[in-house]
Amino acid sequence: MKYKQKIELKNGKEALLRNGDAADGRIVYEVFNAAHAETDYLLSYPDENSFDTEQEAQFLQAKTNSPDEIEIIAIIDGKVAGTAGIEAVGRKHKLRHRAEFGISVLKEYWGLGLGKALTKACIQCAKEAGYTQVELNVVAENEAAISLYQSLGFEEFGRNPRGFNSRISGYQELVYMRLEL
């Protein structure tokens, strides 16, 4: 999928949200690893990244070429500040209506409205792709993220008290959320 939009952040700076492509592979790989090192709320640690820069480039290009999946990158002052995307939960008939959402933003850009803008962009892309439900998992302690998702209409539909096993804090409860489109 293709996407491109300029937004103004809370600090008055402009951010460009656009689909990533193969040329972005190296920098997105680096930002992914940096963002995953800055918080214990994301799925993996940098040493668990199963991609290298070439595989990241291929992933981004595949998402750009996809009719129903996307990876959006946020660029501020010429630097990638974060990424977000949607992908199909499954291709079988019973699953085709569901998209899974994921996001990561570098800590220096938290609190500027970038996470909300990326989430809204992915919701728009999910609608355009024909999905009728977007799903996500969020660590229960991540109250800011839960509040953001609720403000956009996501509703909790369950919890897993031992969803993540953090190297830092042990078991973390996951909140399962969904948005009907």
Side-chain angles (χ1 to χ4, degrees):
M1 293 185 79
K2 296 204 171 60
Y3 184 88
K4 188 173 184 179
Q5 180 186 15
K6 289 183 180 179
I7 60 156
E8 185 176 329
L9 300 171
K10 290 179 183 177
N11 64 359
K13 289 194 175 204
E14 184 177 88
L16 172 63
L17 308 183
R18 67 165 173 82
N19 55 286
D21 58 30
D24 301 309
R26 181 190 56 76
I27 190 62
V28 169
Y29 172 84
E30 291 170 2
V31 168
F32 176 94
N33 287 332
H36 283 69
E38 293 179 330
T39 180
D40 199 33
Y41 293 149
L42 299 176
L43 173 65
S44 61
Y45 298 101
D47 66 303
E48 296 177 313
N49 189 343
S50 60
F51 283 3
D52 59 26
T53 56
E54 180 57 33
Q55 290 167 319
E56 185 68 43
Q58 292 170 2
F59 170 82
L60 292 170
Q61 195 60 52
K63 296 297 182 197
T64 294
N65 295 338
S66 171
D68 61 0
E69 296 183 331
I70 193 165
E71 191 70 18
I72 298 172
I73 63 175
I75 301 168
I76 302 170
D77 294 332
K79 298 190 320 193
V80 175
T83 66
I86 56 164
E87 57 185 12
V89 169
R91 297 293 179 189
K92 293 184 177 12
H93 180 80
K94 290 184 177 184
L95 299 174
R96 277 188 270 186
H97 66 289
R98 298 167 56 197
E100 187 171 12
F101 169 74
I103 186 171
S104 65
V105 174
L106 289 171
K107 198 171 203 170
E108 69 182 282
Y109 300 101
W110 290 3
L112 300 177
L114 186 58
K116 186 172 196 170
L118 282 166
T119 305
K120 288 170 80 172
C122 286
I123 291 168
Q124 178 184 335
C125 289
K127 287 178 182 177
E128 290 173 11
Y131 294 109
T132 59
Q133 181 169 296
V134 177
E135 304 169 15
L136 60 87
N137 301 328
V138 59
V139 174
E141 296 170 8
N142 192 349
E143 293 174 3
I146 291 171
S147 177
L148 164 68
Y149 301 140
Q150 288 173 333
S151 77
L152 295 174
F154 282 86
E155 296 178 345
E156 179 180 329
F157 70 90
R159 290 182 177 237
N160 182 342
R162 292 167 63 134
F164 283 173
N165 189 1
S166 165
R167 293 177 182 168
I168 298 163
S169 60
Y171 289 109
Q172 295 173 308
E173 183 172 40
L174 285 182
V175 178
Y176 300 135
M177 302 185 83
R178 61 185 279 279
L179 173 68
E180 275 191 45
L181 303 177

